[in-house]
Amino acid sequence: MRSIKIFALAAGFVTAVMVLAAFIIPKAKAPEKNKMIADGKGFAVIELFTSEGCSSCPPADELVARIQKEDKDKQVYILAFHVDYWNRLGWKDVFSSADYSKRQNEYANWLNLQSVYTPQIVVNGKKEFVGSEEGTLRNAITAGLRTNPAAALTLNTQKGQDHITIQYRVNGAEKNTDLLLALVQKAAQTKVQRGENGGRTLSHVQIVRKMQSLALNAGGNGSTTIALPEGVNAQDWEVIGLVQNQNNGEILAAAKANFTATANMGK
């Protein structure tokens, strides 16, 4: 009889310990369904507005060159737009264009800015900051790569004697969106003779040399041609395409292609 009581007491003690442990030992947390995970499907479009006539611009040019080298295997697209409003101050930037100054002013409207400046960076058409702010740029790239794109863009290119033919397909684009196609020279150097950078040799990457904007049709498919400058070496050039909302400037998809390659990006 005594042994039965002892067994009953022991069993009761074990049960009490197990109940107490259930309250003390934390349960494993269920995974957060809505947690943002870097899955490699996102993209970051970096638009740098710069000028060879601006003494504050070389650090920004150097920063995007480092980013290009570090992130060459990621969905990171760099476009360097050389604006023309510095040209009147002693040095004409050979890569500059009034079209690129116009694009920068479009961002000023989209982002409710009082004025434009150089160097300025805009990422994915949504966030702008001083072009030499490395930490801000790296954080913006990380955020872009973690965000699933709203649309998808495919580019096919074929080089002719004096032009390049681009076939494109866009899926998932919203209303009021355009396709921007940029002809990009991957690298160049300039020995600046006058102005704020007079006497310096400046290195540039991802220089936009021509830009074409196309309204998308209902199917999102089409083709176009871009004339090429003389003496173009196909290995040193590429095409970058952006699908952009014309109401707010947000970039919905991006892709790039060499002159003889196909690219499937942005989804």
Side-chain angles (χ1 to χ4, degrees):
M1 188 72 174
R2 185 176 179 181
S3 62
I4 295 175
K5 288 182 177 180
I6 293 173
F7 177 79
L9 288 171
F13 178 74
V14 171
T15 302
V17 170
M18 292 176 65
V19 171
L20 182 61
F23 286 96
I24 295 175
I25 300 174
K27 294 182 179 180
K29 289 185 178 181
E32 299 178 29
K33 293 182 179 180
N34 296 325
K35 188 172 182 180
M36 192 177 292
I37 299 174
D39 57 7
K41 293 183 179 180
F43 64 89
V45 173
I46 302 165
E47 296 181 66
L48 170 65
F49 294 93
T50 185
S51 172
E52 291 182 341
C54 164
S55 61
S56 301
C57 287
D61 293 325
E62 293 166 5
L63 173 58
V64 296
R66 291 199 302 274
I67 295 296
Q68 181 195 37
K69 186 178 294 185
E70 294 172 11
D71 294 345
K72 62 182 180 179
D73 297 324
K74 298 179 182 178
Q75 311 290 347
V76 176
Y77 309 96
I78 298 173
L79 296 163
F81 291 98
H82 288 236
V83 298
D84 72 336
Y85 50 82
W86 277 93
N87 290 352
R88 64 182 182 274
L89 299 179
W91 177 253
K92 184 177 180 180
D93 188 334
V94 67
F95 303 116
S96 64
S97 170
D99 290 338
Y100 309 155
S101 300
K102 180 181 177 181
R103 180 163 179 79
Q104 189 181 23
N105 278 287
E106 286 177 335
Y107 273 123
N109 292 329
W110 282 325
L111 300 175
N112 297 314
L113 304 178
Q114 295 295 322
S115 61
V116 298
Y117 60 91
T118 55
Q120 182 185 33
I121 280 179
V122 180
V123 177
N124 285 358
K126 298 185 294 184
K127 182 178 180 61
E128 69 84 27
F129 47 90
V130 175
S132 54
E133 292 182 358
E134 183 170 353
T136 306
L137 175 57
R138 291 187 183 277
N139 289 337
I141 292 171
T142 299
L145 294 176
R146 287 178 173 174
T147 304
N148 287 331
L153 170 64
T154 302
L155 298 178
N156 291 291
T157 60
Q158 184 175 4
K159 183 180 179 299
Q161 185 174 357
D162 58 357
H163 68 279
I164 185 168
T165 300
I166 305 163
Q167 294 179 325
Y168 57 86
R169 183 173 72 251
V170 179
N171 295 318
E174 304 171 351
K175 293 182 179 179
N176 302 312
T177 57
D178 286 349
L179 174 64
L180 176 73
L181 295 171
L183 182 65
V184 176
Q185 185 176 353
K186 296 179 182 179
Q189 282 191 335
T190 301
K191 187 173 182 180
V192 179
Q193 303 292 340
R194 295 175 298 279
E196 291 189 0
N197 291 312
R200 301 182 62 178
T201 299
L202 302 180
S203 297
H204 309 298
V205 298
Q206 297 300 104
I207 311 154
V208 178
R209 299 298 303 272
K210 289 190 178 181
M211 184 173 62
Q212 187 175 125
S213 182
L214 303 169
L216 293 172
N217 59 32
N221 303 325
S223 66
T224 188
T225 61
I226 299 178
L228 297 175
E230 292 184 7
V232 168
N233 183 340
Q235 294 181 343
D236 298 331
W237 295 67
E238 66 185 7
V239 173
I240 293 180
L242 312 175
V243 179
Q244 188 164 39
N245 185 312
Q246 294 302 305
N247 289 335
N248 58 22
E250 181 179 357
I251 295 173
L252 309 175
K256 67 179 178 181
N258 294 321
F259 284 5
T260 57
T262 301
N264 245 329
M265 305 291 184
K267 190 72 173 177

